Amino acid sequence: MVSKPDISVKFCNLELESPYLLSSAPPTCTGEMIMRAFEAGWAGAVTKTIKPDKTPVYDLKNRFGVMGFETKQMILFENIEEVSKRPVGTWVNEIKEIKRKFPEKALIGSIMAECKEEDWEELARVVSEAGVDMLELNFGCPHGMPERGMGAFIGQRTELIQKLTKAAKRGSSVPVMVKLTPNVTDIAFTAKAAEEAGADAISAINTVLGLIGINIDTFEPIPTVDGMSTFGGLSGPGVKPIGLRCVAQIAQATNIPVSGIGGITTWKDAVEYLLVGAGSVQVCTAVMWRGYRIISDFVDGLTNYLADKGFSSVQEIIGKTLPRLTAWSKLNKDYTVVASINKDLCIKCGLCYVACRDGGYQAIKFEQGKSAEVDEEKCDACSLCTHLCPVPGCITWKKVTK
Amino acid sequence: MSGRVHTKTIPPHERVSSFAPYVSNLDDRLAVYEASRCLMCFDAPCISACPAGINIPEFIYRIKTGNFYGAAKVIRESNILGGECGYVCPVERLCESKCVRRNLNEEPVAISMLQRFAYEKEKLKGLVKFPKSRSKNKKVAVVGAGPAGLSAAYELARMGYGVTVFDANPKPGGLLLYGILPWKAPWSVPESEIDLIKEYGINFVTNKKITDLKSLLKEYDAVFVGIGATKSQKLGIPGEDLNGVYPAQEFLQSVAKWLMGEGKAPDLKGKRVAVIGGGDTAIDAACASVRLGAERVYIVYRRSFAEMPAVPYGRNQAREEGVEFLLLTAPVRILGEKSVEAIECVKMELTEPDSSGRRGVKPIKGSEFRLDVNSVIVAIGQKPDEELLKSYGVKTEKGLIVVDENFSTSIKGIFAGGDAVNGGETVVEAVAEGKKAAAAIDKFLSGGKSPKK
């Protein structure tokens, strides 16, 4: 019997029982909610973003939208919700209560203020002194807040990132993590700016600016507030590729820990983030969809995966895939394979034939009632057929020497 | 991977109190879900298995995208009775039997449910009508307003021929109204499709039994005969003429007419009924007997379930409704003074498969037993009206009209298709034959030029 793999991680100053944190969002709206999440098994939580009492915040009705695909009810989620409306004083009291009841859990205070250094410094001081283990600077919210010089407005300007990171560092008695927006040309660039300004860690990604859909019966954009809408922040399974790319870029460009965020729905998604260098991960949309209880499978699935793969600690997989990510120009141009169809598995649907005919190289032969066949001379190994074949493992690669 | 939808059905004990449909149709959400199960195979085997050749993946794809009316258009393009076929097609042995989902060890896509769904959506907007060709100044008579005749008439009218349809019954529809009872398909379905066919300017003459084809040929440039197989095969055993013995076709016709308010249905209240045969008609007759209040209903079939031609769906329906199956059992004679009192039956055993692979049966000596019943329904097969065929003078073989590959009978200008030719297939097969015969008639009338389709 192999001993159970260790899934605890050290992330900056935080000793986490698992890499799983709740991100700054509706599931961390109140102390009561955060404590229930801790009871359910989450290793830590980032509070919904706390702002100075003088900054007004409104919750629009309504503020969510979803995009489904075929039988999937939701693959992307959009919100136009703002940061926490609650007074700083309320948060200070609740932070104290949470830390008293759950001293071993990580509590990260998310903060946001207008572009005034003194405001950031003061808020960082107050929230850090309330007893959080770390601060997260929200430089990422892409809707509402940027119109007033906050959120992604900051995350899109390196001079503001640096000025306000330094301000928060001055006020804070705990490490400072900077949460970045993916709505920039090069997130490695903004991450490096934060690192240079003294950020102790980066978290990414915040939501991706989008427009989730239009009601084609009423012509109203979604989510609809009295017939109107605005662009919002996308999250959910569909943003995972963007998040993975950003985390990998940040991990490659900086030397500080990254907390991975973006479409993490199951333990498998979390593993992918860990493999590209995330030292912890944060979850929101999946919890909004199915509740805090999903943490038990996150923990168990990761543990079983590590055991099956022969790892003794989750630390061993962090960044494991990073060396395999390189520039396109460095990929092996002499590597040649062709598609190979397993005749015994083929269900004779002809889908690979149509795909290759209309979207590929006309390299597949098919006749009703017979297995599809690859013309190896014509196959350019684009891989289209392997992805759309309904039978797992039916179309595989065969190495060829040319 | 995803499982097939299951529709709501009225529980058996409730549904047998009426002749109304007992299976609910899919709602939008379930239809779109089920449609998403279609793989959209290339050169899909389901299309090849559909006698009407409906582009099944295309209409299902349109349901998936929410283009419900477009889905109906695809169906109607290939099958003018597409709504009815959505209700009555034995899909278990047609399209659904070839669904590639089965190769994934999954249940086939519920094609007929989706076809019904498309029809119900189509009905809300008005059934799809296609443009007609210019008038051809030639006339065709269609004898019989059943599925084959309706299909031929519609195709010919679209091509621009002047078409008159004759039918002996008060309403056009043939089997659709007088053979298929409404729990399978509400009559509003074929009626709506017949109304659509009428919109193409076809002249319907009902209550008119055509006995002389040659005089029709003097008035019309061609004749299509689709008189169906409205008579039942006889058992050929003693006692078949006793009161209480009903040939299945005539039995179903009388029940249908009674439901329409004409005449009486056979009085089966509290009776014990034996239905002889194992086809879909036997199942229909048995389930109708249950609805007419029969106390016990038996299906007496000489082979086993494995050889039974009735689709499993119908068999399950009958079983749920309390019909008892006496398998490997054959009637020897019907006993009684004036009316049926019992059947003498004999147990059968299967013999080794013959060269065609079908297993025969032979009686087990000494296994005779008496089955006490008051009524017997004979459902061992159907055939066209012999008298009528004789008066038509067309060449027949084994009681069926003989046609060549162009659906032409032995008399030039007279064509035939449907059950009167094939001996009793499906509605969709009759539609397909009507369509092909219409193309052949067009070719004949346009002087050998190849048909458009």
Side-chain angles (χ1 to χ4, degrees):
Chain A
M1 172 89 189
V2 189
S3 63
K4 210 169 152 188
D6 175 13
I7 62 163
S8 70
V9 291
K10 185 157 168 33
F11 184 79
C12 265
N13 60 322
L14 307 177
E15 303 278 355
L16 301 174
E17 64 189 58
S18 79
Y20 300 125
L21 309 172
L22 284 174
S23 68
S24 173
T28 59
C29 241
T30 65
E32 185 273 332
M33 291 174 80
I34 292 172
M35 289 190 283
R36 272 197 289 117
F38 285 169
E39 274 163 20
W42 291 86
V46 187
T47 65
K48 191 160 164 74
T49 300
I50 304 164
K51 50 87 199 167
D53 291 346
K54 63 180 178 181
T55 305
V57 158
Y58 311 94
D59 279 339
L60 298 163
K61 293 166 185 71
N62 53 69
R63 47 188 182 271
F64 298 151
V66 296
M67 185 177 113
F69 182 69
E70 296 196 350
T71 57
K72 297 277 179 287
Q73 214 174 324
M74 187 274 287
I75 59 161
L76 281 172
F77 188 93
E78 183 185 306
N79 83 88
I80 53 169
E81 182 164 307
E82 293 209 312
V83 298
S84 178
K85 285 183 293 193
R86 307 169 82 229
V88 175
T90 306
W91 274 111
V92 167
N93 290 337
E94 289 185 2
I95 288 165
K96 286 180 181 157
E97 191 196 349
I98 298 166
K99 281 312 293 184
R100 190 165 42 79
K101 288 190 177 156
F102 295 92
E104 77 290 359
K105 300 279 185 180
L107 186 62
I108 300 169
S110 171
I111 59 170
M112 178 195 283
E114 286 168 48
C115 288
K116 291 180 191 141
E117 288 170 80
E118 59 275 25
D119 286 0
W120 280 90
E121 186 175 338
E122 174 61 13
L123 191 58
R125 189 186 58 74
V126 174
V127 176
S128 63
E129 283 176 2
V132 294
D133 303 295
M134 182 184 262
L135 287 180
E136 184 181 79
L137 313 185
N138 182 341
F139 292 168
C141 176
H143 43 83
M145 310 312 296
E147 294 174 19
R148 290 177 276 154
M150 291 178 274
F153 180 86
I154 299 166
Q156 288 162 341
R157 289 164 176 80
T158 49
E159 71 282 7
L160 287 181
I161 291 174
Q162 296 202 314
K163 196 167 79 172
L164 300 176
T165 301
K166 283 175 187 163
K169 283 288 289 181
R170 280 197 300 275
S172 176
S173 51
V174 293
V176 170
M177 176 157 72
V178 170
K179 185 167 181 178
L180 291 175
T181 172
N183 305 303
V184 292
T185 312
D186 182 1
I187 202 167
F189 190 68
T190 48
K192 268 192 282 191
E195 183 183 27
E196 281 165 22
D200 300 288
I202 304 279
S203 50
I205 54 176
N206 206 307
T207 53
V208 182
L209 193 64
L211 173 56
I212 196 82
I214 314 291
N215 180 329
I216 63 169
D217 291 322
T218 63
F219 315 111
E220 291 171 331
I222 298 166
T224 311
V225 181
D226 193 17
M228 306 282 286
S229 193
T230 188
F231 305 125
L234 303 178
S235 61
V239 306
K240 189 181 78 173
I242 300 171
L244 280 175
R245 183 264 297 173
C246 288
V247 167
Q249 284 180 315
I250 295 165
Q252 284 174 331
T254 68
N255 292 307
I256 48 176
V258 195
S259 190
I261 315 169
I264 299 172
T265 308
T266 70
W267 62 268
K268 286 186 179 175
D269 304 319
V271 167
E272 290 182 71
Y273 270 91
L274 296 169
L275 288 170
V276 296
S280 68
V281 293
Q282 299 184 25
V283 181
C284 162
T285 308
V287 168
M288 290 184 70
W289 214 244
R290 289 293 181 262
Y292 300 129
R293 59 195 170 150
I294 60 174
I295 185 61
S296 87
D297 180 62
F298 265 110
V299 167
D300 192 55
L302 175 62
T303 309
N304 294 338
Y305 165 80
L306 293 170
D308 290 348
K309 287 282 174 189
F311 296 110
S312 56
S313 156
V314 69
Q315 298 283 358
E316 293 166 44
I317 69 165
I318 292 175
K320 196 170 169 58
T321 296
L322 270 186
R324 292 173 179 264
L325 281 163
T326 184
W328 183 90
S329 55
K330 289 185 182 150
L331 298 178
N332 182 359
K333 284 155 203 74
D334 299 324
Y335 178 72
T336 311
V337 290
V338 291
S340 168
I341 299 169
N342 183 327
K343 278 192 163 61
D344 298 327
L345 293 178
C346 178
I347 57 167
K348 307 165 182 72
C349 63
L351 292 182
C352 58
Y353 165 78
V354 184
C356 189
R357 184 192 67 182
D358 298 351
Y361 298 82
Q362 300 81 48
I364 293 179
K365 289 175 277 187
F366 175 72
E367 234 180 276
Q368 190 191 89
K370 290 185 184 163
S371 305
E373 267 181 72
V374 176
D375 179 340
E376 293 187 3
E377 287 299 307
K378 284 187 174 173
C379 177
D380 205 43
C382 69
S383 83
L384 178 61
C385 57
T386 66
H387 303 299
L388 61 81
C389 175
V391 186
C394 176
I395 310 183
T396 50
W397 295 117
K398 200 165 85 179
K399 257 192 161 173
V400 287
T401 40
K402 279 197 178 170
Chain B
M1 182 158 47
S2 48
R4 171 176 162 127
V5 289
H6 288 278
T7 42
K8 273 193 199 151
T9 56
I10 300 170
H13 63 279
E14 284 176 35
R15 70 188 188 222
V16 295
S17 64
S18 96
F19 283 79
Y22 63 90
V23 180
S24 66
N25 285 319
L26 299 177
D27 60 23
D28 290 14
R29 183 182 68 90
L30 285 179
V32 169
Y33 162 82
E34 186 62 21
S36 75
R37 295 186 61 238
C38 175
L39 293 166
M40 218 186 175
C41 300
F42 177 79
D43 192 8
C46 56
I47 305 178
S48 314
C50 173
I54 294 175
N55 190 341
I56 294 165
E58 176 70 28
F59 96 70
I60 292 180
Y61 184 74
R62 290 183 184 198
I63 291 175
K64 186 165 94 173
T65 70
N67 179 11
F68 303 147
Y69 198 66
K73 205 156 105 184
V74 171
I75 296 164
R76 196 142 314 277
E77 252 166 9
S78 297
N79 187 343
I80 188 61
L81 298 178
E84 175 75 359
C85 287
Y87 281 86
V88 304
C89 259
V91 287
E92 285 166 284
R93 57 171 183 262
L94 297 174
C95 53
E96 289 185 16
S97 76
K98 299 291 181 212
C99 178
V100 174
R101 278 257 167 228
R102 297 165 63 102
N103 298 353
L104 284 163
N105 293 325
E106 292 177 44
E107 284 187 276
V109 174
I111 299 170
S112 63
M113 290 308 300
L114 291 170
Q115 190 165 325
R116 274 182 203 204
F117 173 82
Y119 164 76
E120 294 297 338
K121 289 289 175 187
E122 180 188 16
K123 209 163 65 172
L124 298 177
K125 279 199 186 185
L127 302 192
V128 178
K129 212 183 150 186
F130 298 104
K132 245 176 99 166
S133 301
R134 247 183 321 137
S135 172
K136 284 200 163 69
N137 280 325
K138 277 185 181 164
K139 296 196 299 177
V140 182
V142 171
V143 181
L150 289 169
S151 163
Y154 158 75
E155 296 290 339
L156 291 162
R158 264 191 78 184
M159 291 172 195
Y161 292 100
V163 182
T164 303
V165 182
F166 298 93
D167 197 276
N169 278 312
K171 291 185 191 176
L175 172 91
L176 306 178
L177 294 183
Y178 298 96
I180 296 170
L181 296 175
W183 77 76
K184 281 189 152 180
W187 283 332
S188 63
V189 179
E191 278 165 357
S192 70
E193 295 186 315
I194 292 164
D195 285 344
L196 172 68
I197 292 169
K198 284 179 178 168
E199 284 184 40
Y200 287 88
I202 295 160
N203 182 26
F204 279 90
V205 181
T206 50
N207 285 318
K208 172 87 178 161
K209 190 167 179 175
I210 298 292
T211 50
D212 178 9
L213 292 182
K214 282 180 190 150
S215 59
L216 260 193
L217 257 190
K218 287 179 191 147
E219 227 184 298
Y220 294 89
D221 299 290
V223 174
F224 174 80
V225 180
I227 57 165
T230 52
K231 304 288 174 191
S232 299
Q233 303 272 8
K234 287 197 148 195
L235 277 170
I237 59 173
E240 209 169 351
D241 298 324
L242 287 168
N243 284 334
V245 178
Y246 306 97
Q249 297 296 322
E250 291 81 343
F251 168 77
L252 291 171
Q253 286 155 24
S254 70
V255 175
K257 286 187 174 165
W258 168 70
L259 288 171
M260 288 178 204
E262 297 169 39
K264 277 190 188 169
D267 179 16
L268 298 184
K269 213 169 176 94
K271 299 264 174 73
R272 298 159 66 91
V273 181
V275 181
I276 316 296
D280 297 324
T281 305
I283 300 285
D284 287 355
C287 293
S289 302
V290 173
R291 282 162 176 73
L292 290 171
E295 185 199 292
R296 288 187 88 158
V297 180
Y298 303 97
I299 282 186
V300 177
Y301 179 54
R302 60 194 188 134
R303 291 185 168 88
S304 71
F305 269 138
E307 294 80 24
M308 195 176 257
V311 289
Y313 182 86
R315 277 163 19 195
N316 291 339
Q317 181 204 343
R319 249 206 303 222
E320 282 174 4
E321 294 175 4
V323 173
E324 295 163 67
F325 287 81
L326 298 178
L327 301 174
L328 290 166
T329 304
V332 179
R333 76 190 96 226
I334 303 171
L335 308 167
E337 285 282 316
K338 276 185 179 169
S339 302
V340 176
E341 286 166 21
I343 313 180
E344 187 187 315
C345 296
V346 66
K347 299 298 288 177
M348 310 291 279
E349 62 183 350
L350 290 165
T351 56
E352 287 307 305
D354 60 16
S355 55
S356 72
R358 186 173 158 93
R359 300 182 76 167
V361 276
K362 63 174 188 206
I364 303 171
K365 261 190 199 151
S367 71
E368 288 79 4
F369 68 99
R370 185 185 152 103
L371 180 67
D372 287 333
V373 292
N374 326 96
S375 303
V376 175
I377 301 173
V378 182
I380 56 162
Q382 57 270 37
K383 57 183 182 180
D385 186 331
E386 251 171 292
E387 294 294 308
L388 205 51
L389 290 189
K390 219 174 270 174
S391 71
Y392 287 169
V394 292
K395 192 182 163 195
T396 59
E397 208 177 282
K398 291 181 183 162
L400 301 175
I401 303 175
V402 177
V403 296
D404 64 13
E405 68 279 9
N406 291 317
F407 294 88
S408 174
T409 67
S410 57
I411 303 172
K412 196 179 171 192
I414 298 180
F415 297 78
D419 285 0
V421 170
N422 64 39
E425 283 286 339
T426 53
V427 172
V428 64
E429 181 61 36
V431 169
E433 290 182 14
K435 197 155 81 167
K436 287 179 208 157
I441 292 169
D442 180 43
K443 193 174 162 187
F444 168 73
L445 293 179
S446 50
K449 274 182 277 170
S450 61
K452 276 180 194 162
K453 272 189 183 175

